[in-house]
Amino acid sequence: MNGNSSQNNESSVSTLSNYTHPSETSIDKANTNDQESGKDISVGKYGVLKMIQSSKNVLYNTEFVRVKNIKTNLADKSVWIRGRLHTSYARGKQCFMIVRQQQWSIQVLAVVSDTISKQFVKFCSNITKESVVDIKGKVARTPSKIGSCSQKDVELYIEELWVVSQSADQLPLLLEDAYRPVNGDDKDADIRANLDTKLDNRAIDLRTPANQAIFRLEAVVCKFFREILTAKGFVEIFPPRIKNAVTGNGTNVFKISYFKGSAYLAQCPTFHNIIAIAGDFERVFTIGPVFRPEDSNSHRHLTEFTNLNLEMTFKHHYHEVVDVIASLFTSIFKGLRENYQSEIKTICEQYSVEPFKFLDPPLKLEFPMAVNMLRENGVEMGDEDDLSIPNEKLLGRLVKAKYDTDFYILDKFPLAIRSFETMPDPDSKVGSNSYDMFMRGEEVLTGGQRIHDYHYLMKRAKHCQVDIEKFAYYLDAFRYGCPPLAGGGIGLERVVMLYLGLDNIRIASMFPRDSKRLTP
Amino acid sequence: MNGNSSQNNESSVSTLSNYTHPSETSIDKANTNDQESGKDISVGKYGVLKMIQSSKNVLYNTEFVRVKNIKTNLADKSVWIRGRLHTSYARGKQCFMIVRQQQWSIQVLAVVSDTISKQFVKFCSNITKESVVDIKGKVARTPSKIGSCSQKDVELYIEELWVVSQSADQLPLLLEDAYRPVNGDDKDADIRANLDTKLDNRAIDLRTPANQAIFRLEAVVCKFFREILTAKGFVEIFPPRIKNAVTGNGTNVFKISYFKGSAYLAQCPTFHNIIAIAGDFERVFTIGPVFRPEDSNSHRHLTEFTNLNLEMTFKHHYHEVVDVIASLFTSIFKGLRENYQSEIKTICEQYSVEPFKFLDPPLKLEFPMAVNMLRENGVEMGDEDDLSIPNEKLLGRLVKAKYDTDFYILDKFPLAIRSFETMPDPDSKVGSNSYDMFMRGEEVLTGGQRIHDYHYLMKRAKHCQVDIEKFAYYLDAFRYGCPPLAGGGIGLERVVMLYLGLDNIRIASMFPRDSKRLTP
């Protein structure tokens, strides 16, 4: 988050005057009475803390600093940090530790001395990796830059160490394997953790720098979406995910037991957003989960994903809406490029990819032009055929080669392959006023002008064999006047995956769901 | 939205120089050839537009102004508006119309004259209520203030009128009935629309000023939640709503058919947010739907509602988290009071309520104190009993009488009535480090310190007879170190309902779901 939006409950260093760690009342004494090497001069300076249970009888007033804020200006001052033991190794009378706090890390040294006992140093070297520790240490400039830490110019000389939460001995996933570069040397391939192992152990895997960055960027894409649209007068609404009916043949939807009957999970919130427009909200958006029983191992399908949906009235032509969406994407891409280079760089260290290219304003093609481009490259397809996934990708490559953009809009999809509420193109026999948008050759948005005329909508619904009774809740919304409107739905995880050039959507979903995965 | 955040695609008035309505190409001529009164001098100035279908052959370049921006400084200028025909009545050679645009409205006069034909005026008087119309009119100062419109000092003298979308003749819900004051005269009780009629016809009902305001405020509460937490370093995450297992006996959860097996809908996202904390995100929040099969006609339960959930690490005491949540609520209350009085006033015109009172910082009571207050008022209950809904409300009244606040925090709930992950209070035999927060005597947040120690959590899980295998995804997250943490979940619709003092949560849910309602 640009390194400065995090305002945790550590105070600034200037107020760090009075460290009192609750050692007297809460140490597990058994851990500090290692007598094998004689009297322990460090008693009361290290050990395993009793579980922090918020007792009123424990006086806790230690103040902590953030690792990222420990710089040379703090040299010779003592500070407390709470972080994870990332690695440690003992050599003679010394123990070198790296303590990690999210994507930041610092080296900590425990050296036997007048004030630090052998027992203390041994205790340090025996702490399990990934344990949460409180450390008091004196800040020192390093003789040379430390390559393996984010804080390269400073290290800590230990004064106290308390284990807050112990990790188990054996980690099912080593952090260094979890973030080993995917496109790195082949020699790493056999020790690099595979995706399922990482997902199975997500509580560990999320701690990698790349994951810390990916899910911050996901939040940021969502934040841009919301802020840009709110500034344009859109209102966020919260339409239901439980529905009485869905379009299609029933195989493309999850069914719920609903009291004595049944119901369905929303594949998208579009219809309710449209009803809100018929209800005069003029511009609405929705952020939330949608559900589709994709029974596949596709790299780009999940059974649950986050849908960013928007719907708005227009005055004369649905391209007014396309322009709003186009500028939304451009603003998001610019916002990421201009403000989140540090996160993008971190992610690229694990998943090396090409930077995302886009035009401003974006390229807009019409479907028949795309068909022609594909035909010129040997693809056989009819005028009313949908794009297959391979053809979609091929088209993306052709567009990239010709226009040098990873983002484009494809307008005027054939009516035959769009849903019944789509407005036909009055200037074409087979087209419709509908569009998809693509990133790196994969679809990230589907949308269109929605039919707002009740009688015409009924005609189209009957033509498309829609169950009029089940969809009365939608169709009836148009009986009492509705302005012209258009909109679309964006897959959040796809946008993140494709902006970053990741090769699997599960990497961009914190807890992905597919036909085989229901945990964690 | 403060009246100025809406930036629709109407341009400012200064650019309105060149009105060209697409009448030549798109009028339904049949509607303008009313010959009964002789030659029509207004031909080409009114009629029913062809369905706006975004044809490239129709030259649309009319520019519109917002009704709310039509003020006396525009006197004698001609403007175009698109709005709904709210009411019309004809008297002799005149037709008085009110045209509505969301919560704004203006009077429009059609008067037979040298340029306005009888046929045109008759056409105006025959347009069905709620139709969407484009009107060109000359702005005039009114001789006296118009009570029934938001624009009280100006009216429009009609020049052109085109029907964009016709409403059906018979409305199942009259707008004036939909927004008749609920606490008004008893004489209105029989013509006031009941809640089910309103919900069944939500596309009409949403057009009332109160509903336009309620759902804008709902978006605003959500916006405050998000902005306040983001500024404090929280990251928004998108945990799954499909789960492999849920706590409880299975009657409190919706079951889904999931490929060849089954799964469940999330009652809350807490466990996944906690896993994100174990994964070092430190501070996370989530906004999204949760699902509970509440089979009741309760005024405050829905089967699907929007949950605002947050989880964060703390250093020493879970009250660090309680303080963050307390200040979150106070900031939201202040934000509403200071910036949204116009919306609140509009809502109060339909649902008259007392202003919401709160203390800063909020009042915090402990559960045993609440039990004592209730006992002093004749309630019999045990130390480990939960609050019944009537007792919860009584407590709210007692707290209001004693402390003059509609918001308070109740800390230290009995361990026996909280879920297994709740940290027991080390200073009490029956208490726990958990809390609820209340608005007008009803619970809006439940939260607590979560056990972060793996071994202790396993002990508590076994004690509470949790299915260890099904919850392995959660329990295992604590094996590899986890800092102390606490959090809570807020019901968005409840916050809106109770802040405004509405008497039914369905009023604060755009498309409510309960055991009997699956549409619209």
Side-chain angles (χ1 to χ4, degrees), chain B residues 278-309:
Chain B
D280 280 355
F281 275 85
E282 295 190 2
R283 297 179 162 207
V284 297
F285 71 88
T286 291
I287 297 166
V290 295
F291 308 90
R292 300 179 190 177
E294 309 275 0
D295 192 2
S296 75
N297 289 315
S298 152
H299 76 286
R300 68 179 198 175
H301 287 100
L302 294 171
T303 52
E304 175 177 352
F305 65 90
T306 307
N307 184 273
L308 311 180
N309 211 283

Side-chain angles (χ1 to χ4, degrees), chain A residues 280 480-481, chain B residues 81-89 95-101 104-110 122-135 158 161-168 171 175-176 207:
Chain A
D280 279 355
Y480 312 106
Chain B
I81 57 172
R82 176 174 291 172
R84 287 197 187 268
L85 185 70
H86 184 64
T87 60
S88 72
Y89 81 103
C95 178
F96 292 81
M97 292 173 273
I98 294 178
V99 174
R100 199 182 73 237
Q101 201 174 63
W104 297 280
S105 53
I106 190 164
Q107 180 161 280
V108 180
L109 279 89
K122 187 178 171 195
F123 180 85
C124 291
S125 65
N126 284 335
I127 300 168
T128 46
K129 276 188 191 183
E130 294 301 308
S131 293
V132 177
V133 290
D134 281 358
I135 287 177
I158 207 154
L161 184 149
W162 301 97
V163 177
V164 170
S165 174
Q166 281 184 297
S167 172
L171 292 166
L175 216 67
E176 53 266 41
R207 300 171 193 171

Side-chain angles (χ1 to χ4, degrees), chain B residues 228-435:
Chain B
I228 292 163
L229 295 182
T230 301
K232 292 186 185 210
F234 283 76
V235 176
E236 183 170 9
I237 65 170
F238 306 90
R241 308 292 151 167
I242 297 180
K243 294 188 162 193
N244 73 317
V246 286
T247 50
N249 57 9
T251 61
N252 58 345
V253 65
F254 288 116
K255 197 171 179 178
I256 323 165
S257 301
Y258 198 78
F259 301 98
K260 287 170 185 164
S262 56
Y264 303 91
L265 286 183
Q267 301 153 304
C268 74
T270 305
F271 280 5
H272 284 94
N273 286 0
I274 292 172
I275 296 172
I277 299 294
D280 280 355
F281 275 85
E282 295 190 2
R283 297 179 162 207
V284 297
F285 71 88
T286 291
I287 297 166
V290 295
F291 308 90
R292 300 179 190 177
E294 309 275 0
D295 192 2
S296 75
N297 289 315
S298 152
H299 76 286
R300 68 179 198 175
H301 287 100
L302 294 171
T303 52
E304 175 177 352
F305 65 90
T306 307
N307 184 273
L308 311 180
N309 211 283
L310 66 102
E311 211 66 38
M312 62 176 271
T313 60
F314 62 83
K315 290 295 187 291
H316 307 303
H317 197 293
Y318 75 97
H319 281 177
E320 296 164 35
V321 180
V322 173
D323 290 345
V324 167
I325 302 175
S327 115
L328 170 68
F329 271 105
T330 311
S331 301
I332 291 173
F333 299 152
K334 282 185 191 167
L336 290 172
R337 187 178 63 190
E338 287 160 19
N339 302 296
Y340 295 91
Q341 275 310 321
S342 151
E343 282 79 1
I344 293 168
K345 188 167 159 280
T346 300
I347 296 162
C348 284
E349 282 166 14
Q350 179 166 354
Y351 305 96
S352 61
V353 290
E354 298 282 307
F356 189 82
K357 288 193 169 181
F358 60 96
L359 305 175
D360 183 15
L363 175 67
K364 188 158 64 188
L365 300 175
E366 295 202 351
F367 196 84
M369 292 170 64
V371 173
N372 283 344
M373 284 174 80
L374 287 169
R375 284 178 182 156
E376 282 165 12
N377 283 273
V379 172
E380 291 180 17
M381 66 180 287
D383 289 344
E384 296 183 68
D385 289 351
D386 204 352
L387 292 174
S388 66
I389 291 178
N391 285 346
E392 198 178 292
K393 288 197 172 183
L394 171 58
L395 184 60
R397 289 193 297 275
L398 298 173
V399 168
K400 177 79 180 269
K402 188 167 177 183
Y403 301 98
D404 198 29
T405 178
D406 288 311
F407 177 74
Y408 72 99
I409 299 164
L410 192 54
D411 196 14
K412 299 290 178 197
F413 269 66
L415 183 62
I417 58 169
R418 307 295 270 204
S419 52
F420 77 93
E421 79 282 5
T422 307
M423 183 66 88
D425 178 1
D427 307 319
S428 145
K429 281 184 184 156
V430 300
S432 70
N433 294 347
S434 71
Y435 38 84

Side-chain angles (χ1 to χ4, degrees), chain A residues 306-364:
Chain A
T306 306
N307 183 274
L308 311 179
N309 210 284
L310 66 100
E311 210 66 39
M312 63 176 270
T313 62
F314 63 83
K315 290 296 187 290
H316 307 302
H317 197 293
Y318 75 97
H319 282 176
E320 296 164 35
V321 179
V322 173
D323 290 345
V324 167
I325 302 174
S327 115
L328 170 69
F329 271 103
T330 311
S331 301
I332 291 173
F333 299 150
K334 283 185 192 168
L336 290 172
R337 187 179 62 191
E338 286 160 19
N339 301 296
Y340 295 91
Q341 275 309 322
S342 151
E343 282 79 0
I344 293 167
K345 188 166 159 280
T346 300
I347 295 161
C348 284
E349 282 166 15
Q350 180 166 354
Y351 305 96
S352 62
V353 290
E354 298 283 305
F356 189 82
K357 288 194 169 182
F358 59 96
L359 305 175
D360 183 15
L363 175 67
K364 190 157 63 187

